[in-house]
Short mmCIF file of all heavy atoms in Angstrom, two decimals:
data_model
loop_
_atom_site.label_atom_id
_atom_site.label_comp_id
_atom_site.label_asym_id
_atom_site.label_seq_id
_atom_site.Cartn_x
_atom_site.Cartn_y
_atom_site.Cartn_z
N MET A 9 101.65 108.86 95.18
CA MET A 9 102.25 110.07 94.60
C MET A 9 102.24 111.16 95.74
O MET A 9 101.19 111.21 96.32
CB MET A 9 101.53 110.55 93.40
CG MET A 9 101.79 109.88 92.19
SD MET A 9 101.03 110.74 90.78
CE MET A 9 99.30 110.59 91.14
N LEU A 10 103.22 111.90 95.91
CA LEU A 10 103.15 113.02 96.79
C LEU A 10 103.32 114.24 96.04
O LEU A 10 104.23 114.30 95.10
CB LEU A 10 104.48 112.92 97.80
CG LEU A 10 104.43 111.76 98.75
CD1 LEU A 10 105.72 111.83 99.53
CD2 LEU A 10 103.22 111.79 99.65
N LEU A 11 102.35 115.09 96.05
CA LEU A 11 102.29 116.29 95.32
C LEU A 11 102.28 117.56 96.18
O LEU A 11 101.14 117.92 96.62
CB LEU A 11 101.00 116.28 94.41
CG LEU A 11 101.02 115.07 93.46
CD1 LEU A 11 99.66 115.06 92.76
CD2 LEU A 11 102.10 115.13 92.34
N PRO A 12 103.45 118.05 96.48
CA PRO A 12 103.55 119.17 97.46
C PRO A 12 102.70 120.48 96.99
O PRO A 12 102.78 120.63 95.76
CB PRO A 12 104.97 119.50 97.76
CG PRO A 12 105.66 118.23 97.06
CD PRO A 12 104.69 117.62 96.06
N ASP A 13 102.17 121.03 97.89
CA ASP A 13 101.63 122.48 97.55
C ASP A 13 100.38 122.29 96.53
O ASP A 13 100.23 123.35 95.80
CB ASP A 13 102.56 123.49 97.22
CG ASP A 13 103.66 123.54 98.22
OD1 ASP A 13 103.32 123.72 99.37
OD2 ASP A 13 104.88 123.75 97.87
N GLN A 14 99.67 121.16 96.56
CA GLN A 14 98.50 121.13 95.56
C GLN A 14 97.24 120.85 96.37
O GLN A 14 97.41 120.11 97.45
CB GLN A 14 98.77 120.00 94.65
CG GLN A 14 100.08 120.02 93.85
CD GLN A 14 100.10 121.23 93.05
OE1 GLN A 14 99.20 121.65 92.37
NE2 GLN A 14 101.22 121.90 92.94
N GLY A 15 96.22 121.47 95.99
CA GLY A 15 95.04 121.21 96.73
C GLY A 15 94.38 119.90 96.51
O GLY A 15 94.67 119.17 95.46
N GLU A 16 93.51 119.39 97.37
CA GLU A 16 92.89 118.09 97.31
C GLU A 16 92.04 117.93 96.04
O GLU A 16 92.04 116.92 95.30
CB GLU A 16 92.00 117.73 98.39
CG GLU A 16 92.82 117.39 99.62
CD GLU A 16 91.95 116.98 100.89
OE1 GLU A 16 90.67 117.12 100.78
OE2 GLU A 16 92.44 116.46 101.85
N ALA A 17 91.35 119.00 95.59
CA ALA A 17 90.53 119.02 94.40
C ALA A 17 91.48 118.68 93.15
O ALA A 17 91.06 117.93 92.25
CB ALA A 17 89.79 120.20 94.24
N LEU A 18 92.53 119.43 93.08
CA LEU A 18 93.41 119.19 91.88
C LEU A 18 94.08 117.77 91.85
O LEU A 18 94.07 117.12 90.93
CB LEU A 18 94.63 120.22 91.93
CG LEU A 18 95.63 120.12 90.90
CD1 LEU A 18 95.06 120.09 89.45
CD2 LEU A 18 96.76 120.96 91.05
N VAL A 19 94.44 117.37 93.12
CA VAL A 19 95.04 115.98 93.18
C VAL A 19 94.06 114.97 92.82
O VAL A 19 94.31 114.00 92.09
CB VAL A 19 95.69 115.75 94.59
CG1 VAL A 19 96.17 114.27 94.74
CG2 VAL A 19 96.78 116.71 94.73
N ARG A 20 92.76 115.14 93.28
CA ARG A 20 91.75 114.15 92.82
C ARG A 20 91.54 114.20 91.47
O ARG A 20 91.33 113.05 90.76
CB ARG A 20 90.32 114.50 93.60
CG ARG A 20 89.25 113.61 93.26
CD ARG A 20 87.96 113.98 93.68
NE ARG A 20 87.10 112.95 93.61
CZ ARG A 20 86.12 112.52 94.59
NH1 ARG A 20 86.04 113.19 95.74
NH2 ARG A 20 85.40 111.59 94.36
N THR A 21 91.50 115.31 90.80
CA THR A 21 91.39 115.44 89.31
C THR A 21 92.52 114.70 88.63
O THR A 21 92.37 113.94 87.54
CB THR A 21 91.33 116.88 88.85
OG1 THR A 21 90.12 117.47 89.47
CG2 THR A 21 91.14 117.06 87.31
N LEU A 22 93.76 114.91 89.10
CA LEU A 22 94.83 114.27 88.48
C LEU A 22 94.91 112.75 88.67
O LEU A 22 95.09 111.93 87.78
CB LEU A 22 96.19 114.83 89.08
CG LEU A 22 96.55 116.28 88.82
CD1 LEU A 22 97.74 116.69 89.52
CD2 LEU A 22 96.93 116.47 87.25
N ALA A 23 94.41 112.27 89.86
CA ALA A 23 94.28 110.85 90.02
C ALA A 23 93.22 110.22 89.29
O ALA A 23 93.38 109.07 88.66
CB ALA A 23 93.99 110.63 91.49
N ASP A 24 92.16 110.99 88.96
CA ASP A 24 91.08 110.37 88.05
C ASP A 24 91.60 110.32 86.77
O ASP A 24 91.28 109.34 85.96
CB ASP A 24 89.83 111.35 88.23
CG ASP A 24 88.64 110.70 88.69
OD1 ASP A 24 88.66 109.41 88.85
OD2 ASP A 24 87.67 111.32 89.14
N ARG A 25 92.31 111.39 86.16
CA ARG A 25 92.83 111.40 84.92
C ARG A 25 93.81 110.23 84.67
O ARG A 25 93.77 109.45 83.61
CB ARG A 25 93.57 112.64 84.56
CG ARG A 25 92.62 113.81 84.26
CD ARG A 25 93.33 115.07 83.97
NE ARG A 25 92.49 116.27 83.83
CZ ARG A 25 92.86 117.42 83.74
NH1 ARG A 25 94.23 117.69 83.76
NH2 ARG A 25 92.00 118.38 83.65
N LEU A 26 94.67 109.99 85.61
CA LEU A 26 95.54 108.81 85.57
C LEU A 26 94.74 107.48 85.51
O LEU A 26 95.15 106.62 84.69
CB LEU A 26 96.52 108.94 86.86
CG LEU A 26 97.58 107.79 86.92
CD1 LEU A 26 98.45 107.76 85.72
CD2 LEU A 26 98.38 107.87 88.25
N ARG A 27 93.71 107.42 86.41
CA ARG A 27 92.93 106.23 86.41
C ARG A 27 92.35 105.96 85.00
O ARG A 27 92.41 104.75 84.50
CB ARG A 27 91.79 106.36 87.44
CG ARG A 27 90.89 105.14 87.57
CD ARG A 27 89.75 105.56 88.51
NE ARG A 27 88.96 106.52 88.11
CZ ARG A 27 87.94 106.45 87.15
NH1 ARG A 27 87.86 105.38 86.55
NH2 ARG A 27 87.25 107.51 86.81
N ILE A 28 91.77 107.09 84.38
CA ILE A 28 91.26 106.88 83.09
C ILE A 28 92.21 106.53 82.00
O ILE A 28 91.96 105.56 81.05
CB ILE A 28 90.39 108.15 82.69
CG1 ILE A 28 89.19 108.20 83.62
CG2 ILE A 28 89.97 108.18 81.21
CD1 ILE A 28 88.59 109.63 83.69
N LEU A 29 93.38 107.16 82.00
CA LEU A 29 94.47 106.85 81.09
C LEU A 29 94.92 105.45 81.15
O LEU A 29 95.24 104.78 80.16
CB LEU A 29 95.59 107.83 81.19
CG LEU A 29 95.35 109.24 80.79
CD1 LEU A 29 96.56 110.21 81.21
CD2 LEU A 29 95.31 109.32 79.23
N LEU A 30 95.14 104.95 82.34
CA LEU A 30 95.73 103.61 82.57
C LEU A 30 94.59 102.54 82.15
O LEU A 30 94.95 101.55 81.64
CB LEU A 30 96.08 103.34 83.94
CG LEU A 30 97.33 104.09 84.35
CD1 LEU A 30 97.59 103.89 85.87
CD2 LEU A 30 98.54 103.53 83.65
N ALA A 31 93.34 102.89 82.29
CA ALA A 31 92.23 101.90 81.87
C ALA A 31 92.28 101.81 80.37
O ALA A 31 91.85 100.76 79.91
CB ALA A 31 90.95 102.46 82.39
N ALA A 32 92.71 102.75 79.67
CA ALA A 32 92.68 102.69 78.22
C ALA A 32 93.89 101.97 77.65
O ALA A 32 93.97 101.65 76.33
CB ALA A 32 92.72 104.21 77.67
N VAL A 33 94.88 101.60 78.43
CA VAL A 33 96.02 100.80 77.85
C VAL A 33 95.50 99.34 77.70
O VAL A 33 95.12 98.65 78.58
CB VAL A 33 97.20 100.74 79.03
CG1 VAL A 33 98.32 100.02 78.47
CG2 VAL A 33 97.67 102.23 79.24
N PRO A 34 95.70 98.95 76.45
CA PRO A 34 95.33 97.63 76.15
C PRO A 34 96.17 96.57 76.91
O PRO A 34 97.40 96.66 76.95
CB PRO A 34 95.47 97.49 74.60
CG PRO A 34 96.39 98.66 74.17
CD PRO A 34 96.26 99.64 75.34
N ARG A 35 95.47 95.51 77.44
CA ARG A 35 96.12 94.46 78.15
C ARG A 35 95.61 93.20 77.72
O ARG A 35 94.42 93.00 77.61
CB ARG A 35 96.14 94.64 79.63
CG ARG A 35 96.74 95.85 80.14
CD ARG A 35 96.35 96.02 81.72
NE ARG A 35 96.55 94.72 82.39
CZ ARG A 35 97.56 94.45 83.19
NH1 ARG A 35 98.46 95.29 83.42
NH2 ARG A 35 97.58 93.18 83.87
N PRO A 36 96.37 92.18 77.54
CA PRO A 36 95.89 90.84 77.07
C PRO A 36 95.18 90.12 78.07
O PRO A 36 94.16 89.28 77.83
CB PRO A 36 97.12 90.02 76.70
CG PRO A 36 98.29 90.70 77.49
CD PRO A 36 97.90 92.11 77.53
N ASP A 37 95.30 90.45 79.39
CA ASP A 37 94.54 89.83 80.54
C ASP A 37 93.41 90.70 81.06
O ASP A 37 92.83 90.35 82.03
CB ASP A 37 95.45 89.55 81.70
CG ASP A 37 96.18 90.72 82.18
OD1 ASP A 37 96.25 91.80 81.50
OD2 ASP A 37 96.77 90.60 83.33
N GLY A 38 93.05 91.66 80.32
CA GLY A 38 91.95 92.50 80.59
C GLY A 38 92.27 93.91 80.95
O GLY A 38 93.34 94.45 80.77
N ARG A 39 91.33 94.66 81.43
CA ARG A 39 91.51 96.08 81.75
C ARG A 39 92.11 96.25 83.05
O ARG A 39 91.85 95.74 84.02
CB ARG A 39 90.05 96.84 81.69
CG ARG A 39 90.14 98.25 81.73
CD ARG A 39 88.74 98.84 81.61
NE ARG A 39 87.85 98.64 82.68
CZ ARG A 39 87.69 99.63 83.61
NH1 ARG A 39 88.22 100.84 83.51
NH2 ARG A 39 86.92 99.54 84.70
N LEU A 40 93.07 97.31 83.15
CA LEU A 40 93.81 97.75 84.34
C LEU A 40 92.81 98.64 85.07
O LEU A 40 92.22 99.52 84.62
CB LEU A 40 94.97 98.34 84.04
CG LEU A 40 95.89 98.78 85.21
CD1 LEU A 40 96.41 97.63 85.90
CD2 LEU A 40 97.09 99.88 84.68
N THR A 41 92.74 98.40 86.40
CA THR A 41 92.01 99.27 87.29
C THR A 41 92.98 100.02 88.22
O THR A 41 93.94 99.34 88.59
CB THR A 41 90.76 98.56 88.01
OG1 THR A 41 91.35 97.68 88.86
CG2 THR A 41 89.76 97.93 86.97
N VAL A 42 92.47 101.19 88.72
CA VAL A 42 93.35 101.95 89.55
C VAL A 42 92.42 102.43 90.72
O VAL A 42 91.43 103.03 90.43
CB VAL A 42 93.92 103.19 88.99
CG1 VAL A 42 94.64 103.99 89.93
CG2 VAL A 42 94.94 102.71 87.78
N SER A 43 92.79 102.13 91.90
CA SER A 43 92.19 102.65 93.23
C SER A 43 93.08 103.65 93.83
O SER A 43 94.21 103.20 94.13
CB SER A 43 91.70 101.59 94.11
OG SER A 43 90.78 100.74 93.52
N ALA A 44 92.73 104.83 94.08
CA ALA A 44 93.65 105.78 94.73
C ALA A 44 92.99 106.46 95.90
O ALA A 44 91.76 106.69 95.90
CB ALA A 44 93.96 106.82 93.65
N GLY A 45 93.74 106.85 96.89
CA GLY A 45 93.29 107.62 98.02
C GLY A 45 94.03 108.90 98.04
O GLY A 45 95.28 108.98 97.82
N VAL A 46 93.27 109.98 98.27
CA VAL A 46 93.90 111.44 98.25
C VAL A 46 93.66 111.91 99.63
O VAL A 46 92.64 111.86 100.27
CB VAL A 46 93.13 112.21 97.29
CG1 VAL A 46 93.61 113.67 97.38
CG2 VAL A 46 93.36 111.73 95.89
N ALA A 47 94.77 112.58 100.34
CA ALA A 47 94.71 113.17 101.54
C ALA A 47 95.64 114.40 101.57
O ALA A 47 96.86 114.35 101.25
CB ALA A 47 95.10 112.26 102.70
N GLY A 48 95.10 115.55 101.93
CA GLY A 48 95.91 116.79 102.01
C GLY A 48 96.47 116.80 103.48
O GLY A 48 95.83 116.35 104.37
N MET A 49 97.71 117.14 103.58
CA MET A 49 98.37 117.22 104.78
C MET A 49 97.88 118.36 105.69
O MET A 49 97.73 119.57 105.28
CB MET A 49 99.81 117.38 104.72
CG MET A 49 100.60 117.28 105.92
SD MET A 49 102.34 117.12 105.63
CE MET A 49 102.96 116.78 107.24
N ARG A 50 97.50 118.14 106.91
CA ARG A 50 96.87 119.15 107.84
C ARG A 50 98.09 119.62 108.66
O ARG A 50 99.10 119.05 108.86
CB ARG A 50 95.87 118.38 108.74
CG ARG A 50 94.65 117.90 108.02
CD ARG A 50 93.93 117.08 109.01
NE ARG A 50 92.70 116.56 108.32
CZ ARG A 50 91.83 115.50 108.83
NH1 ARG A 50 92.27 115.04 109.95
NH2 ARG A 50 90.88 115.14 108.12
N VAL A 51 97.91 120.80 109.11
CA VAL A 51 98.99 121.56 109.88
C VAL A 51 99.37 120.79 111.11
O VAL A 51 100.54 120.70 111.45
CB VAL A 51 98.49 122.92 110.30
CG1 VAL A 51 99.47 123.68 111.15
CG2 VAL A 51 98.20 123.78 109.04
N ASP A 52 98.43 120.07 111.79
CA ASP A 52 98.65 119.42 113.03
C ASP A 52 98.98 117.98 112.97
O ASP A 52 98.96 117.31 113.90
CB ASP A 52 97.42 119.64 113.94
CG ASP A 52 96.30 119.01 113.35
OD1 ASP A 52 96.25 118.80 112.17
OD2 ASP A 52 95.34 118.71 114.13
N GLU A 53 99.35 117.46 111.69
CA GLU A 53 99.69 116.17 111.64
C GLU A 53 101.03 115.74 110.97
O GLU A 53 101.50 116.69 110.25
CB GLU A 53 98.63 115.43 110.86
CG GLU A 53 98.51 115.51 109.36
CD GLU A 53 97.37 114.87 108.72
OE1 GLU A 53 96.63 114.05 109.41
OE2 GLU A 53 97.14 114.96 107.57
N SER A 54 101.53 114.54 111.23
CA SER A 54 102.80 114.20 110.69
C SER A 54 102.62 113.66 109.25
O SER A 54 101.39 113.37 108.83
CB SER A 54 103.47 113.09 111.52
OG SER A 54 102.71 111.99 111.40
N VAL A 55 103.71 113.48 108.51
CA VAL A 55 103.60 112.85 107.20
C VAL A 55 103.00 111.49 107.27
O VAL A 55 102.03 111.12 106.50
CB VAL A 55 104.97 112.91 106.50
CG1 VAL A 55 104.95 112.06 105.19
CG2 VAL A 55 105.49 114.23 106.34
N LEU A 56 103.41 110.80 108.28
CA LEU A 56 102.88 109.38 108.61
C LEU A 56 101.34 109.45 108.80
O LEU A 56 100.63 108.51 108.23
CB LEU A 56 103.58 108.69 109.68
CG LEU A 56 105.01 108.20 109.34
CD1 LEU A 56 105.65 107.59 110.57
CD2 LEU A 56 105.10 107.18 108.15
N GLN A 57 100.91 110.36 109.41
CA GLN A 57 99.43 110.47 109.58
C GLN A 57 98.71 110.74 108.40
O GLN A 57 97.68 110.23 108.14
CB GLN A 57 99.07 111.55 110.70
CG GLN A 57 99.62 111.08 112.10
CD GLN A 57 99.38 112.28 113.08
OE1 GLN A 57 99.95 113.36 112.82
NE2 GLN A 57 98.87 112.00 114.26
N THR A 58 99.29 111.66 107.52
CA THR A 58 98.72 112.04 106.33
C THR A 58 98.67 110.71 105.32
O THR A 58 97.64 110.40 104.80
CB THR A 58 99.49 113.16 105.59
OG1 THR A 58 99.47 114.25 106.40
CG2 THR A 58 98.81 113.51 104.17
N LEU A 59 99.77 109.97 105.30
CA LEU A 59 99.83 108.77 104.46
C LEU A 59 98.71 107.69 105.08
O LEU A 59 98.22 107.02 104.17
CB LEU A 59 101.29 108.17 104.55
CG LEU A 59 102.34 109.08 103.83
CD1 LEU A 59 103.80 108.38 104.00
CD2 LEU A 59 102.03 109.18 102.33
N HIS A 60 98.67 107.69 106.30
CA HIS A 60 97.64 106.71 106.86
C HIS A 60 96.34 107.17 106.35
O HIS A 60 95.54 106.18 105.90
CB HIS A 60 97.73 106.69 108.35
CG HIS A 60 96.75 105.82 108.96
ND1 HIS A 60 96.77 104.39 108.93
CD2 HIS A 60 95.57 106.03 109.68
CE1 HIS A 60 95.76 103.79 109.59
NE2 HIS A 60 95.12 104.91 110.05
N ARG A 61 95.93 108.37 106.31
CA ARG A 61 94.55 108.83 105.89
C ARG A 61 94.42 108.53 104.40
O ARG A 61 93.25 108.22 103.89
CB ARG A 61 94.32 110.21 106.24
CG ARG A 61 94.17 110.65 107.71
CD ARG A 61 93.76 111.96 108.04
NE ARG A 61 94.54 113.02 107.44
CZ ARG A 61 94.03 113.80 106.36
NH1 ARG A 61 92.90 113.66 105.82
NH2 ARG A 61 94.84 114.71 105.95
N ALA A 62 95.52 108.76 103.78
CA ALA A 62 95.51 108.43 102.25
C ALA A 62 95.27 107.02 101.93
O ALA A 62 94.55 106.52 100.95
CB ALA A 62 96.78 108.84 101.52
N ASP A 63 95.90 106.11 102.82
CA ASP A 63 95.87 104.69 102.71
C ASP A 63 94.37 104.23 103.07
O ASP A 63 93.79 103.45 102.25
CB ASP A 63 96.80 103.97 103.61
CG ASP A 63 96.93 102.55 103.33
OD1 ASP A 63 96.97 102.14 102.13
OD2 ASP A 63 96.83 101.81 104.34
N LEU A 64 93.76 104.85 104.06
CA LEU A 64 92.49 104.51 104.40
C LEU A 64 91.47 104.89 103.20
O LEU A 64 90.44 104.16 102.91
CB LEU A 64 91.96 105.14 105.72
CG LEU A 64 92.68 104.62 106.91
CD1 LEU A 64 92.17 105.58 108.18
CD2 LEU A 64 92.32 103.20 107.26
N ALA A 65 91.67 106.06 102.62
CA ALA A 65 90.91 106.55 101.48
C ALA A 65 91.09 105.58 100.20
O ALA A 65 90.01 105.22 99.60
CB ALA A 65 91.29 107.89 101.13
N MET A 66 92.34 105.05 100.20
CA MET A 66 92.52 104.01 99.09
C MET A 66 91.75 102.77 99.24
O MET A 66 91.14 102.16 98.42
CB MET A 66 93.92 103.73 98.83
CG MET A 66 94.12 102.71 97.56
SD MET A 66 95.92 102.13 97.58
CE MET A 66 96.13 101.33 99.20
N LEU A 67 91.79 102.27 100.55
CA LEU A 67 90.97 101.11 100.89
C LEU A 67 89.61 101.32 100.72
O LEU A 67 88.82 100.39 100.20
CB LEU A 67 91.22 100.67 102.30
CG LEU A 67 92.73 100.21 102.65
CD1 LEU A 67 92.95 99.99 104.10
CD2 LEU A 67 93.00 99.00 101.91
N LYS A 68 88.98 102.47 101.01
CA LYS A 68 87.66 102.79 100.79
C LYS A 68 87.28 102.73 99.31
O LYS A 68 86.27 102.28 98.83
CB LYS A 68 87.25 104.17 101.28
CG LYS A 68 85.83 104.65 101.17
CD LYS A 68 84.89 103.74 102.01
CE LYS A 68 83.52 104.33 101.99
NZ LYS A 68 82.53 103.68 102.84
N ALA A 69 88.19 103.21 98.52
CA ALA A 69 88.00 103.23 97.04
C ALA A 69 87.87 101.76 96.51
O ALA A 69 87.06 101.43 95.69
CB ALA A 69 89.10 103.98 96.31
N LYS A 70 88.74 100.87 97.07
CA LYS A 70 88.81 99.57 96.71
C LYS A 70 87.45 98.85 97.13
O LYS A 70 86.93 98.00 96.33
CB LYS A 70 89.89 98.83 97.30
CG LYS A 70 91.29 99.10 96.60
CD LYS A 70 92.39 98.30 97.25
CE LYS A 70 93.72 98.63 96.46
NZ LYS A 70 94.72 97.61 96.82
N GLN A 71 87.09 99.19 98.39
CA GLN A 71 85.85 98.59 98.86
C GLN A 71 84.63 98.94 98.05
O GLN A 71 83.49 98.30 98.06
CB GLN A 71 85.71 98.92 100.27
CG GLN A 71 86.67 98.21 101.18
CD GLN A 71 86.69 98.77 102.62
OE1 GLN A 71 86.14 99.79 102.90
NE2 GLN A 71 87.45 98.12 103.53
N SER A 72 84.74 100.14 97.47
CA SER A 72 83.50 100.65 96.78
C SER A 72 83.37 100.10 95.34
O SER A 72 82.55 100.49 94.49
CB SER A 72 83.47 102.24 96.66
OG SER A 72 84.63 102.63 95.79
N GLY A 73 84.20 99.10 95.06
CA GLY A 73 84.15 98.45 93.81
C GLY A 73 85.35 98.55 92.92
O GLY A 73 85.40 98.19 91.78
N ARG A 74 86.39 99.19 93.43
CA ARG A 74 87.56 99.37 92.68
C ARG A 74 87.50 100.43 91.55
O ARG A 74 86.45 100.82 91.28
CB ARG A 74 88.30 98.15 92.25
CG ARG A 74 88.63 97.15 93.29
CD ARG A 74 89.34 95.91 92.78
NE ARG A 74 89.43 94.94 93.82
CZ ARG A 74 90.71 94.81 94.47
NH1 ARG A 74 91.72 95.69 94.16
NH2 ARG A 74 90.75 93.89 95.47
N ASP A 75 88.66 100.74 91.00
CA ASP A 75 88.72 101.67 89.85
C ASP A 75 88.07 102.97 90.25
O ASP A 75 87.08 103.46 89.54
CB ASP A 75 88.03 101.10 88.59
CG ASP A 75 88.42 101.83 87.35
OD1 ASP A 75 89.62 102.33 87.39
OD2 ASP A 75 87.68 101.90 86.37
N ALA A 76 88.41 103.56 91.35
CA ALA A 76 87.88 104.73 91.87
C ALA A 76 88.96 105.55 92.63
O ALA A 76 89.89 105.12 93.03
CB ALA A 76 86.69 104.55 92.78
N VAL A 77 88.60 106.80 92.89
CA VAL A 77 89.38 107.76 93.68
C VAL A 77 88.51 108.20 94.77
O VAL A 77 87.35 108.64 94.65
CB VAL A 77 89.85 109.00 92.88
CG1 VAL A 77 90.64 109.96 93.67
CG2 VAL A 77 90.76 108.47 91.62
N CYS A 78 89.11 108.14 96.01
CA CYS A 78 88.42 108.51 97.22
C CYS A 78 89.31 109.59 98.02
O CYS A 78 90.46 109.48 98.14
CB CYS A 78 88.21 107.36 98.09
SG CYS A 78 87.17 107.65 99.50
N VAL A 79 88.64 110.67 98.45
CA VAL A 79 89.40 111.63 99.24
C VAL A 79 89.09 111.43 100.74
O VAL A 79 87.90 111.24 101.19
CB VAL A 79 88.77 113.10 98.83
CG1 VAL A 79 89.47 114.15 99.71
CG2 VAL A 79 89.07 113.34 97.33
N ALA A 80 90.05 111.41 101.44
CA ALA A 80 90.11 111.12 102.95
C ALA A 80 89.09 111.96 103.73
O ALA A 80 88.29 111.34 104.54
CB ALA A 80 91.42 111.21 103.56
N ASP A 81 89.01 113.24 103.36
CA ASP A 81 88.01 114.19 104.18
C ASP A 81 86.62 113.97 103.84
O ASP A 81 85.75 114.42 104.36
CB ASP A 81 88.54 115.51 103.92
CG ASP A 81 89.66 115.93 104.73
OD1 ASP A 81 90.07 115.06 105.64
OD2 ASP A 81 90.38 116.88 104.33
N GLU A 82 86.41 113.04 102.68
CA GLU A 82 84.95 112.77 102.35
C GLU A 82 84.49 111.43 102.82
O GLU A 82 83.44 111.00 102.66
CB GLU A 82 84.83 112.82 100.85
CG GLU A 82 85.20 114.07 100.24
CD GLU A 82 85.17 114.18 98.76
OE1 GLU A 82 84.92 113.20 98.03
OE2 GLU A 82 85.48 115.31 98.17
N ILE A 83 85.32 110.75 103.57
CA ILE A 83 84.88 109.43 104.09
C ILE A 83 84.08 109.53 105.39
O ILE A 83 84.51 110.43 106.33
CB ILE A 83 86.27 108.60 104.49
CG1 ILE A 83 86.98 108.22 103.27
CG2 ILE A 83 85.76 107.24 105.24
CD1 ILE A 83 88.27 107.52 103.61
N HIS A 84 83.00 108.99 105.44
CA HIS A 84 82.09 109.02 106.72
C HIS A 84 81.89 107.84 107.17
O HIS A 84 81.89 106.77 106.72
CB HIS A 84 80.76 109.68 106.25
CG HIS A 84 80.91 111.03 105.55
ND1 HIS A 84 81.32 112.14 106.21
CD2 HIS A 84 80.70 111.40 104.26
CE1 HIS A 84 81.39 113.29 105.35
NE2 HIS A 84 80.97 112.79 104.26
#
């Protein structure tokens, strides 16, 4: 999702809410999990660079056991 003019904290909260809502949807094959990466666009970077950082954050969320939201600037 691209959410213009929103802060990382709000986007993380929205992604977490979406993750929780989707987990509550009944499925015959088990529970749905959502891994999301959040990255705010920096003044000195292109859209592709921002998307790359968001993708890295999503991969970190998956590596941490899935069903998580990770913010790019919190990756160490």
Side-chain angles (χ1 to χ4, degrees):
M9 285 187 293
L10 297 177
L11 300 171
D13 302 320
Q14 304 300 317
E16 285 182 353
L18 174 62
V19 175
R20 180 187 191 137
T21 299
L22 292 173
D24 245 345
R25 286 182 184 169
L26 180 61
R27 181 185 61 77
I28 292 165
L29 287 170
L30 290 173
V33 174
R35 294 175 44 105
D37 59 344
R39 190 172 75 96
L40 180 68
T41 63
V42 174
S43 297
V46 174
M49 188 167 186
R50 297 175 179 161
V51 175
D52 62 336
E53 73 181 357
S54 69
V55 172
L56 288 177
Q57 290 170 313
T58 304
L59 291 174
H60 180 70
R61 290 189 310 107
D63 190 47
L64 291 175
M66 181 190 63
L67 291 173
K68 180 69 173 179
K70 287 183 176 189
Q71 291 169 350
S72 70
R74 300 186 183 258
D75 202 29
V77 176
C78 185
V79 177
D81 288 341
E82 297 175 4
I83 297 174
H84 302 291

